[in-house]
Amino acid sequence: MVVLDSGFVGLRGDTGEELWSYTLPDTDQIHTDVSSDGTRAAVRYTNDEGEPVAVLLDTSTGSIVSEDAHWDGESHLLDAELQIHRHYDEDGFSVEVADLADGRTMWRQEEPVACSEGPSRQVRGSYHADAVVLLAYCADDVSEEAMYSAGQQATHVLVALDPGSGRELWRHEISVDDTQGYFPESRLTQYGDTLVVKLPGVSEQLLLDTATGDLLEELSGHVLDVTEEAYLARMGTIENPVFELRGFDGQVLHTLPTDPGDVVAVLDEGLLRVRMERGPDGDTIGAEVTPWQGGDGTVVETGLVVESADSEEPGRLLRMPGAVLLYPSVGPSAGVDAIEHIVALQ
């Protein structure tokens, strides 16, 4: 499914065939969102009578589930029934979960999550159909100015709440002596049912089961993708990166040395490395494709054109059933009218 400024288009991954579309090309101020579980998409716009309309779609078929959903265009869809509102003030933010069908509030966070002791500030959130995970920063000074400063002893607490009731499901509390400055180091990234956590002052990334909070793995490298059986990590240095496919038992399944300009995707059978070959603007981009076993790569004529591609960004890969999507990033000076290109590789 492709998200456009005017709505959504559903494509078959291995052929590019358009399966469905819901677009409003002549309508201004369209808001869109896709639920955390991937089952629903929402479109909100203003009709010719000046009234707001919120439409809920089934992402597998593009069929309309509801034409009067209670969605404001800003809250995030958790699943087919629930949405989460985020409220910001000088003390951080808090969350509220409401029903999509009638807008009724299911529960509201009266107090931000807190550590076992000391002042706290709720600073990050990750929203999943199984759990709303909130991250709080706790220290002697939790003002935004202090959080930019390094050297403060701090505690980070992760708390997961049940999306339907707000009941606490699990929590992790981690203390560090040197936060290295809170911003912008903290990250909560969701890959399916796995939450990857990077905290300031903590060298390892944590892989957690979102629903249970079970620690699946700790890693000193950078996690790039997670499947049901393994995860892709970038190890080594920026100058000499090494990509590893690792099982959750700590075993390194495959290793693939790369150059800084390579992009790598994890497939069912291992790793795939793609090295972009670019000429001047107007020339097509070739892609040298090498499987994890190594050896000479195969040059694929992609048909992509580099009229607005970023000369510094190597491109990106996205795995999906039946294909690997390859697309170069648009250069920062290309402007809002730049055309982006995507090609699917078998």
Side-chain angles (χ1 to χ4, degrees):
M1 188 175 66
V2 181
V3 182
L4 306 173
D5 290 339
S6 58
F8 298 96
V9 174
L11 304 176
R12 184 180 170 94
D14 55 354
T15 66
E17 174 191 0
E18 183 177 311
L19 301 177
W20 62 267
S21 69
Y22 186 93
T23 59
L24 301 161
D26 299 324
T27 304
D28 295 330
Q29 296 183 334
I30 294 177
H31 302 273
T32 58
D33 192 38
V34 181
S35 64
S36 298
D37 64 358
T39 63
R40 295 290 185 267
V43 180
R44 182 181 169 94
Y45 64 98
T46 302
N47 64 18
D48 294 338
E49 288 72 38
E51 299 173 341
V53 179
V55 178
L56 201 61
L57 305 172
D58 184 315
T59 56
S60 61
T61 63
S63 59
I64 295 175
V65 177
S66 172
E67 293 187 275
D68 58 353
H70 286 258
W71 183 59
D72 61 5
E74 297 181 359
S75 61
H76 178 63
L77 275 62
L78 290 172
D79 54 22
E81 299 177 351
L82 300 176
Q83 59 184 314
I84 187 164
H85 302 279
R86 290 155 290 188
H87 304 286
Y88 295 87
D89 59 28
E90 66 275 6
D91 296 323
F93 77 102
S94 59
V95 298
E96 172 187 328
V97 171
D99 189 282
L100 267 172
D102 57 17
R104 176 173 54 91
T105 297
M106 306 295 291
W107 58 270
R108 179 182 292 107
Q109 190 182 25
E110 301 297 338
E111 297 290 339
V113 299
C115 302
S116 55
E117 58 183 41
S120 305
R121 182 185 178 96
Q122 194 167 289
V123 291
R124 291 286 186 274
S126 179
Y127 314 110
H128 188 272
D130 290 334
V132 174
V133 182
L134 303 172
L135 173 63
Y137 173 91
C138 311
D140 291 337
D141 187 350
V142 294
S143 65
E144 192 164 320
E145 294 76 13
M147 293 168 65
Y148 277 100
S149 304
Q152 183 173 219
Q153 184 176 1
T155 297
H156 313 290
V157 60
L158 281 168
V159 177
L161 306 178
D162 182 279
S165 65
R167 176 178 59 88
E168 184 173 315
L169 299 174
W170 55 263
R171 68 167 48 210
H172 282 289
E173 195 162 312
I174 303 168
S175 296
V176 293
D177 292 331
D178 184 356
T179 66
Q180 301 175 1
Y182 188 82
F183 294 107
E185 283 298 314
S186 65
R187 289 190 298 273
L188 302 179
T189 308
Q190 196 74 48
Y191 296 96
D193 296 330
T194 302
L195 179 67
V196 178
V197 181
K198 175 66 178 73
L199 298 176
V202 180
S203 59
E204 293 81 13
Q205 288 194 342
L206 309 178
L207 283 75
L208 304 173
D209 183 295
T210 305
T212 66
D214 292 342
L215 179 62
L216 305 175
E217 191 66 270
E218 294 183 63
L219 182 77
S220 58
H222 182 64
V223 177
L224 300 173
D225 196 3
V226 182
T227 70
E228 290 185 3
E229 304 295 335
Y231 61 94
L232 174 63
R234 185 179 66 233
M235 311 297 287
T237 63
I238 296 177
E239 295 78 15
N240 297 292
V242 175
F243 289 84
E244 293 180 351
L245 185 64
R246 291 173 164 244
F248 289 109
D249 58 358
Q251 180 182 1
V252 178
L253 305 176
H254 304 304
T255 301
L256 186 64
T258 65
D259 293 333
D262 295 343
V263 286
V264 174
V266 55
L267 307 176
D268 292 338
E269 64 271 19
L271 303 179
L272 182 74
R273 181 183 72 193
V274 173
R275 178 171 295 154
M276 306 289 282
E277 294 186 343
R278 290 202 178 117
D281 284 356
D283 283 0
T284 58
I285 297 173
E288 182 183 350
V289 180
T290 305
W292 64 266
Q293 295 94 334
D296 295 333
T298 301
V299 177
V300 177
E301 295 297 333
T302 64
L304 293 176
V305 180
V306 296
E307 291 174 349
S308 56
D310 189 338
S311 60
E312 303 296 328
E313 177 66 43
R316 302 183 188 277
L317 292 177
L318 177 66
R319 60 179 174 88
M320 61 186 307
V324 177
L325 296 185
L326 167 65
Y327 56 104
S329 299
V330 171
S333 61
V336 296
D337 296 326
I339 299 175
E340 298 186 59
H341 301 271
I342 302 174
V343 65
L345 305 180
Q346 186 176 29

